[in-house]
Amino acid sequence: MDRPQAEARIVELRDLIERHNELYHVRDAPEISDAEFDALFRELRDLEAAHPELATIDSPTRRVGGAVLEGFATVAHAAPMLSLDSDADEEAIDRFDERVRRALGEGASVAYVLEPKFDGASLELVYEDGLLTRAATRGNGVAGEDITANARTIATVPLRLRAAARAVPRFLSVRAEVIIEIAPFEEYNARLVAEGKPPFASPRNTAAGALRQLDSRLTARRPLDIFVYDVLAAEGFAAATHWEILAALVEWGFRVTDERRRVETAAQIRDYFREMTAKREEMPYEIDGVVVKLDDLAARRELGTTSHHPRWAFAMKFQPRRAVTRLLDIVASVGRTGVVTPVAMLEPVVIGGVTVSRATLHNREEVARKDVRKGDLVAVQRAGDVIPQVLEWIPEQGRRRARAFRMPARCPSCRTPLVERGPFSVCPNSLDCPAQLAGRIIHLGSRHALDVEGLGEETARLLVAEGLVKHLPDLFDLKAEQLTPLEGFAEKSAGALVAGLARAARAELPRFLYGLGIPEVGATVARQLARHFGTLAALRAADEEALTAVEGVGPIMAAAIAGFFREEHTVEVLDALLDGRIRLVESEPASAATGPFENLKFVLTGALAGMTREEARREIEARGGRVVSSVSARTSYVVVGEDPGSKYDKAQKLGVEILDEAAFRELLTAS
Ligand code: IVH
């Protein structure tokens, strides 16, 4: 390839990669497989290596981070980054609404835009002629630290804006919140704990810390994400409303929350606040309230700002998630991997609507570091789905403290002497320790694994203690008659557990993989493995090299996975499970809904005029159909919008039925 050809291809590849990066990370609607994406990425990296003079700072290959800085420069923001007035009392909604209406004059029409209040770190992103040129922390609101290199590593930060119906402005400064979603956060922490390092306290602290790393390669390792929610300044772009600004941000390729809503009354604000309060628990990331913003920008100017906050916006905060309670005891608990964890048994306390009575203390070094002891008053934190944490002990005058915690010398379950592995104490009796088997049962039945109704911790321990389950596969041989004599079981609950197990026996591959408790493999990696290999047989046959080709799998994890599948015990358990006990669903996970589209596979390509891709997906899934990413002879329909890609050609070649938007809508209405 000569230089001009290389240059043209590099430009093309950068565009393609950023487009697919956006589809995957921002729109959650990938159009190509991970392998295809990796191939594009490798091609670009190789071309840039061969033509170093063509490398540019906005290349997606730079997202992995680079040189270590001495410190950060201070940079002024394009406009002050104000903070918000806030309240946790619902009456404040009415007071705010009344103030706004009074200021704008009776009878003025008022609309508000409502958004979640992301619990993250605030960030300014500056684009010149569509190119990301600067990113800065909020700092004191007027100036912050220049963390451009770090921001570039975040997959949801566009390096170049997309010109759409709306042209890209000459200058654009936007405000965003950097967050880490809860599942990747927990996996990241689990990895730290496995390495004997102290875990992070919250996704927010982790995100804020990651932004201020001098070595951007460290930032690149943290699973950061952004949501963009405002334009701070622009040249070559003007809008009349906030709602319009959000639409423009979406068009340019930013990640904007789908939870935004435009309303006109205080009652609607209250409804939204209540809805989000309820939804908070199931959100994939943490929110700490909702933000109410006056939609009309001219009306905003009329209201103005105080020195700190705008008068046209305000935050309704959720209840705090920290509480103080008594530490009743520290108990050594044996998990499925044999690691003995000190667990804080707490006087039950309600935090954010959930009762907390236990919290892990991770390992003996962590207990020593926090120096918490039986009987102490302790501060406890619970954030989103994140496991509750003991933060610190609180001194009380005149109270004598108990002795410091000591790890037992023998396994509390099977009495085998414990062995020390770094900061961890481990029961080496992995095959016969009852607590470890119970732990494996609990994990296999847990929500993100096979989700077996009625199989809680107590039941799992009982099944093992009564000798009904001696090996994991025995679980699926249980009969209701065996359960009814057990304490706590009636005919109904026994039947329910057996039925729950029978339902769970038809297992989607990602859930099954996660449930096996492969070392290092959390729910996200399990999904990636299932997506990459498709079948368990293919995964079991994969060597370490093949495993590292999977997104999110490095050499250490690959070795752990390959080692797991080679173990004699694993082979026995898997063979027994697959011998009629578990039936694996091995293609893409089937959608839960049934309906007229059952067994139909749709491929979406090109932009639809009347609905987003996500809406189209929901319509299809609501009727029991599935949306898949690539066209094959087994595809039922290819839905074609504006500017369809190569999928259209492929559909024609394979003779797959093609629907334009009108035909697709007809099909939806007809069913
Ligand atoms: S608007 C002038 N919208 O909450 C209005 N802020 O003090 C500026 N935040 O520092 C903020 N989610 O970091 C806005 N949807 C959202 C937000 C949001 C989170 C943060 C922001 C700000 C703090 C409020």
Side-chain angles (χ1 to χ4, degrees):
M1 202 183 281
D2 62 21
R3 206 194 119 123
Q5 279 172 329
E7 188 163 8
R9 181 63 181 156
I10 284 176
V11 169
E12 183 179 25
L13 283 168
R14 283 178 190 155
D15 262 12
L16 267 172
I17 290 170
E18 282 302 285
R19 162 120 186 92
H20 288 296
N21 183 59
E22 183 196 338
L23 284 168
Y24 185 90
H25 289 285
V26 180
R27 308 279 162 238
D28 203 12
E31 287 186 354
I32 61 174
S33 68
D34 294 0
E36 286 170 288
F37 183 86
D38 292 344
L40 293 176
F41 196 88
R42 275 196 300 272
E43 187 186 346
L44 176 60
R45 206 188 42 203
D46 294 348
L47 273 176
E48 286 180 345
H51 301 273
E53 74 283 3
L54 295 177
T56 58
I57 189 71
D58 67 315
S59 172
T61 53
R62 295 291 189 94
R63 284 198 191 268
V64 292
V68 181
L69 303 177
E70 296 275 314
F72 298 111
T74 302
V75 285
H77 299 306
M81 292 175 79
L82 303 175
S83 62
L84 291 174
D85 201 4
S86 70
D87 207 313
D89 179 359
E90 271 193 40
E91 319 233 302
I93 293 174
D94 293 296
R95 288 199 295 273
F96 171 72
D97 178 56
E98 278 159 25
R99 246 189 343 241
V100 168
R101 285 178 199 275
R102 212 175 313 123
L104 295 179
E106 292 304 324
S109 76
V110 172
Y112 300 106
V113 175
L114 311 176
E115 297 164 13
K117 186 168 182 307
F118 309 102
D119 195 8
S122 210
L123 178 75
E124 179 196 26
L125 296 170
V126 176
Y127 291 82
E128 288 167 75
D129 295 319
L131 212 63
L132 175 68
T133 50
R134 199 182 74 204
T137 60
R138 177 169 180 275
N140 62 8
V142 176
E145 286 174 317
D146 184 341
I147 48 139
T148 312
N150 291 344
R152 282 189 208 288
T153 69
I154 304 174
T156 35
V157 169
L159 300 175
R160 182 188 281 281
L161 299 182
R162 187 146 46 77
R166 223 178 294 257
V168 162
R170 277 190 307 285
F171 178 90
L172 181 72
S173 155
V174 300
R175 180 164 180 176
E177 202 78 0
V178 178
I179 58 150
I180 297 182
E181 294 200 348
I182 293 162
F185 173 74
E186 288 191 338
E187 279 173 27
Y188 187 76
N189 255 354
R191 226 176 308 145
L192 289 177
V193 170
E195 290 163 12
K197 296 179 190 150
F200 283 102
S202 72
R204 188 178 62 142
N205 292 350
T206 316
L211 280 186
R212 302 189 63 257
Q213 289 290 338
L214 289 169
D215 181 350
S216 52
R217 279 166 304 192
L218 296 179
T219 312
R221 278 187 216 151
R222 309 250 179 105
L224 301 173
D225 251 314
I226 61 161
F227 277 107
V228 178
Y229 52 74
D230 208 2
V231 167
L232 282 170
E235 275 169 43
F237 166 72
T241 63
H242 185 63
W243 196 245
E244 205 184 316
I245 289 180
L246 294 180
L249 291 170
V250 171
E251 281 186 27
W252 291 323
F254 290 111
R255 188 174 188 218
V256 175
T257 176
D258 286 334
E259 305 288 348
R260 61 185 183 275
R261 189 178 299 173
R262 190 172 176 279
V263 302
E264 295 179 349
T265 67
Q268 289 172 308
I269 300 176
R270 237 176 295 123
D271 288 346
Y272 180 81
F273 179 65
R274 287 182 192 159
E275 273 172 52
M276 294 309 286
T277 306
K279 208 167 176 180
R280 180 186 190 189
E281 300 302 329
E282 23 178 289
M283 296 282 279
Y285 48 86
E286 285 190 19
I287 58 177
D288 58 351
V290 306
V291 182
V292 184
K293 302 173 179 178
L294 191 60
D295 190 28
D296 189 279
L297 303 184
R300 283 188 183 184
R301 282 189 286 275
E302 228 172 288
L303 278 154
T305 64
T306 69
S307 59
H308 294 291
H309 340 106
R311 290 199 185 87
W312 42 260
F314 128 99
M316 273 300 297
K317 295 256 229 169
F318 298 142
Q319 292 305 317
R321 303 194 116 156
R322 248 181 96 133
V324 169
T325 189
R326 188 72 64 187
L327 176 59
L328 300 176
D329 203 356
I330 300 177
V331 173
S333 160
V334 190
R336 65 185 158 89
T337 58
V339 172
V340 183
T341 309
V343 178
M345 309 302 285
L346 303 163
E347 173 124 10
V349 60
V350 179
I351 313 180
V354 174
T355 305
V356 175
S357 55
R358 293 152 58 108
T360 173
L361 291 164
H362 298 295
N363 57 48
R364 67 183 127 71
E365 282 180 14
E366 184 80 355
V367 184
R369 199 170 62 79
K370 292 191 169 150
D371 188 32
V372 287
R373 305 183 191 181
K374 180 173 172 172
D376 283 352
L377 208 52
V378 289
V380 180
Q381 171 174 286
R382 200 191 133 261
D385 263 351
V386 178
I387 305 154
Q389 272 189 314
V390 174
L391 296 172
E392 59 185 0
W393 66 278
I394 295 160
E396 292 165 277
Q397 257 202 343
R399 195 181 67 85
R400 269 189 63 138
R401 299 185 71 207
R403 279 193 312 129
F405 169 79
R406 280 191 41 199
M407 205 39 121
R410 288 173 178 275
C411 173
S413 176
C414 68
R415 311 302 302 157
T416 306
L418 299 182
V419 293
E420 292 192 0
R421 221 178 278 154
F424 297 101
S425 305
V426 180
C427 167
N429 180 20
S430 54
L431 292 186
D432 294 315
C433 175
Q436 294 187 43
L437 177 57
R440 287 197 285 270
I441 294 172
I442 294 164
H443 184 69
L444 185 64
S446 66
R447 189 153 64 96
H448 294 296
L450 300 191
D451 195 14
V452 183
E453 224 172 293
L455 185 60
E457 295 192 14
E458 241 173 274
T459 304
R461 292 207 182 89
L462 189 66
L463 293 174
V464 174
E466 294 290 334
L468 290 180
V469 178
K470 294 202 174 70
H471 305 281
L472 204 56
D474 300 345
L475 195 59
F476 296 93
D477 296 335
L478 287 173
K479 305 271 175 299
E481 311 84 84
Q482 295 174 286
L483 299 173
T484 33
L486 301 186
E487 201 181 312
F489 269 100
E491 218 151 280
K492 204 168 147 206
S493 48
L497 176 55
V498 172
L501 284 163
R503 257 196 312 276
R506 193 172 177 283
E508 289 164 12
L509 183 59
R511 288 174 168 274
F512 181 69
L513 288 179
Y514 172 68
L516 285 179
I518 307 167
E520 312 272 332
V521 174
T524 311
V525 173
R527 260 197 311 277
Q528 299 287 8
L529 289 171
R531 216 170 113 183
H532 189 95
F533 291 105
T535 65
L536 179 63
L539 171 59
R540 284 174 84 171
D543 60 12
E544 290 174 32
E545 197 189 325
L547 285 163
T548 44
V550 180
E551 180 169 324
V553 178
I556 295 175
M557 210 188 268
I561 296 168
F564 174 82
F565 283 112
R566 274 197 301 267
E567 249 173 53
E568 198 183 327
H569 183 62
T570 309
V571 173
E572 277 171 22
V573 167
L574 277 181
D575 289 348
L577 282 174
L578 297 174
D579 184 19
R581 293 180 174 88
I582 290 274
R583 271 175 308 133
L584 283 181
V585 183
E586 299 198 303
S587 52
E588 291 193 2
S591 85
T594 56
F597 288 1
E598 209 177 332
N599 298 324
L600 295 186
K601 288 188 193 168
F602 289 75
V603 170
L604 305 172
T605 179
L608 299 177
M611 62 175 89
T612 65
R613 189 180 287 268
E614 206 30 56
E615 283 161 355
R617 173 193 294 271
R618 273 200 288 273
E619 295 287 346
I620 291 168
E621 288 179 350
R623 290 167 177 77
R626 280 201 280 146
V627 176
V628 296
S629 53
S630 56
V631 181
S632 76
R634 281 170 303 160
T635 309
S636 319
Y637 296 103
V638 174
V639 180
V640 175
E642 286 277 298
D643 284 334
S646 59
K647 290 174 189 174
Y648 177 68
D649 307 330
K650 192 155 175 204
Q652 282 190 317
K653 209 160 36 187
L654 293 174
V656 176
E657 187 161 345
I658 294 171
L659 301 176
D660 62 12
E661 185 164 353
F664 175 54
R665 279 187 179 281
E666 229 165 81
L667 189 67
L668 290 178
T669 341
S671 36

